Amino acid sequence: MAGTDRRQKLIADGPVIVLVNPQLGENIGAAARAMGNFGLSDLRIVNPRDGWPNEKANAMAAGATDILQAAKVYPTTQAALADITHAYATTARPRDLNIEVVTPREAAEEMTVDPLKPEDNKKKFALLFG
């Protein structure tokens, strides 16, 4: 079956997805579609090259246009992350930076919130792409 799985329940407190300087509307739409398949709903877009809203994003979203309609556009990455307590930047390239590197599995484990720990309720996570 093609398209977004509309049976997926949205995770209200799931991680925020931040796309930084996306070049194509289709990439934004594909991200929204993937988000819908995993129950994520908070999409933030930083400085989209082809402007916003974008019809090509809607076409590519295949059933996740509600995520696109709710997406927020920010002028800077700093503004998009203003309320985030933990951000995970993604890369496919090795970097010579002095920062902690975690695997996707480790990041997912770190993002797991324990409802019995009040301090976990204050955490807000983001996955940063771009």
Side-chain angles (χ1 to χ4, degrees):
M1 176 170 103
T4 302
D5 182 357
R6 296 174 195 262
R7 297 168 297 172
Q8 187 66 254
K9 182 181 175 189
L10 294 180
I11 304 167
D13 294 326
V16 172
I17 303 299
V18 181
L19 304 179
V20 180
N21 301 323
Q23 296 185 13
L24 301 172
E26 292 91 339
N27 292 345
I28 300 169
R33 181 176 177 179
M35 289 174 64
N37 281 320
F38 289 95
L40 303 177
S41 61
D42 191 345
L43 175 61
R44 300 178 186 190
I45 307 167
V46 178
N47 192 32
R49 182 188 75 180
D50 292 344
W52 192 256
N54 185 296
E55 284 305 313
K56 291 181 179 179
N58 287 329
M60 189 67 168
T65 54
D66 54 332
I67 294 170
L68 293 179
Q69 290 169 355
K72 296 177 185 75
V73 177
Y74 295 85
T76 65
T77 304
Q78 183 178 3
L81 296 175
D83 64 331
I84 301 298
T85 56
H86 296 80
Y88 295 88
T90 62
T91 185
R93 297 176 197 91
R95 304 285 186 195
D96 292 329
L97 300 174
N98 189 14
I99 57 173
E100 179 184 3
V101 176
V102 297
T103 66
R105 181 180 301 273
E106 290 168 333
E109 289 172 1
E110 290 175 9
M111 285 188 276
T112 302
V113 174
D114 184 344
L116 299 178
K117 293 182 180 176
E119 64 274 13
D120 277 6
N121 295 330
K122 296 178 181 140
K123 293 179 181 176
K124 188 159 181 124
F125 298 96
L127 297 172
L128 185 69
F129 297 89

